[in-house]
Amino acid sequence: MTDPTRTVPAIVMLVLALVAVGCSSAPKAETGPPGAVFYPPPPDQPRLQFLTSFSDAEFLVQKKSSFAEFVVGTPDQEAIGKIHGPYGLAANRGKVYICDIAKHRVHIFDFVGRSYAQLGTPEQILGPVNITLDADGTKYVCDTQKARVVVYDAQDRFVRYLGDPDRCTPIDLAIQGEELYVVNISRSTIEVWSKTTGELLRYFSSKGMEPDQLRMPTNLDIGPDGNLYVTDTELCTVKVFSPEGKLLRLIGEPGDRPGYFARPKGIAIDPQGNMYVADAQWEVIQIFTTQGKTLLYFGGADAGPQGMGMPAGLFVDDTSLDAFRSYLAPGFEPKYLLFVANQFGVNKIGVYAFGTMKP
């Protein structure tokens, strides 16, 4: 297989295209009940509840006044975690990690400890786009500016760098056993690395218009079936590959109806095998079976706290339910949470719960 020449300016343009910063001031988090928002709306049985949205840590961190603040004023908003241009995100046990492309940092919102921090240092991370969590809490941050993956342990301590900047510009990755499946945006390929050493084991696909080729792959996830689900933003489709790289099927195509895409980006697959895909153009999230059947769509450019603005990163999490139970409507039984990163508007991070309403 022959790879096209890597062009750095194209990558820079891609990153600039991904960044979208709203100009409005950030709201505090909004609670769910009363007046909870469900999808689908009545009279259908609700399966998804909007819980809250937030754009900074002001509501999370209890600031204490001091004589110094009286003299010099309150700290700058950046000190309490204002989110500007989020893309990828992940969550584990009440901690939400958010890749902010505009601010070149990874925010950490701790809903259990009621605190805010940042992952790593500016020297370690320059262009974080997506973050992936391993089962043991290890974090893999795709840095497109440095063209490498930055690894942190379960305690958020720096471990090492992975990758070859001369060959690969990682934009997203997924973990399968001891292997990392990495989206190489510079060559439109999927690379498979050793999880421990970053050694290139194999790769598949290439840049092109054929069914098994990719034009602009941006995100991927691995389903319960072990297959890879890759969003191709330019071709407006999700391509499903086996772990060995065989194309299995295509889901969606260009269009403006349910089951079609205009600008698919983030993708997440829940434990039941439902597939969530963010469409940045139509500003909705669509839910499919992994075979491609359309189940539900929700979102839109609503003016309320549940409104979306160019949604990008998605993450499904069943470890943080307790941290968000206060937002649940009475009688709604959640199975897991869905986190949505919005690049535009004031509702930067939206949180939803998938579940059922008790009779």
Side-chain angles (χ1 to χ4, degrees), residues 48-164:
L48 203 70
Q49 183 197 340
F50 166 75
L51 300 183
T52 185
S53 62
F54 58 91
S55 296
D56 60 51
E58 189 174 9
F59 74 97
L60 189 66
V61 180
Q62 299 297 321
K63 295 192 298 178
K64 297 179 180 180
S65 61
S66 66
F67 178 73
E69 285 188 3
F70 174 76
V71 174
V72 301
T74 57
D76 186 88
Q77 184 103 359
E78 296 298 335
I80 51 174
K82 186 174 183 179
I83 305 169
H84 286 255
Y87 192 91
L89 74 173
N92 184 45
R93 301 186 184 281
K95 278 189 176 182
V96 184
Y97 298 81
I98 304 161
C99 293
D100 193 330
I101 308 174
K103 300 304 294 182
H104 312 287
R105 66 185 59 160
V106 179
H107 305 276
I108 307 175
F109 284 66
D110 187 344
F111 282 80
V112 175
R114 308 299 294 181
S115 64
Y116 169 81
Q118 293 178 19
L119 183 67
T121 66
E123 292 73 27
Q124 294 167 359
I125 302 176
L126 183 59
V129 177
N130 278 301
I131 181 170
T132 304
L133 302 185
D134 205 348
D136 63 359
T138 302
K139 299 152 195 76
Y140 298 83
V141 180
C142 291
D143 187 334
T144 56
Q145 291 290 325
K146 290 288 189 178
R148 65 190 181 191
V149 172
V150 192
V151 185
Y152 296 87
D153 66 13
Q155 288 72 45
D156 299 337
R157 297 172 299 199
F158 172 78
V159 177
R160 60 185 178 273
Y161 300 113
L162 296 177
D164 179 357

Side-chain angles (χ1 to χ4, degrees), residues 195-222:
K195 187 167 71 173
T196 54
T197 66
E199 175 190 1
L200 176 64
L201 304 176
R202 60 190 183 277
Y203 71 94
F204 57 86
S205 193
S206 59
K207 189 164 189 174
M209 300 294 292
E210 295 300 319
D212 61 348
Q213 293 181 306
L214 299 164
R215 288 290 295 175
M216 187 182 287
T218 54
N219 294 80
L220 85 164
D221 200 2
I222 295 177

Side-chain angles (χ1 to χ4, degrees), residues 208-210 213-215 232-237 239 253-254:
M209 300 294 292
E210 295 300 319
Q213 293 181 306
L214 299 164
R215 288 290 295 175
D232 193 315
T233 302
E234 185 171 333
L235 296 181
C236 304
T237 189
K239 297 198 173 186
E253 58 183 287

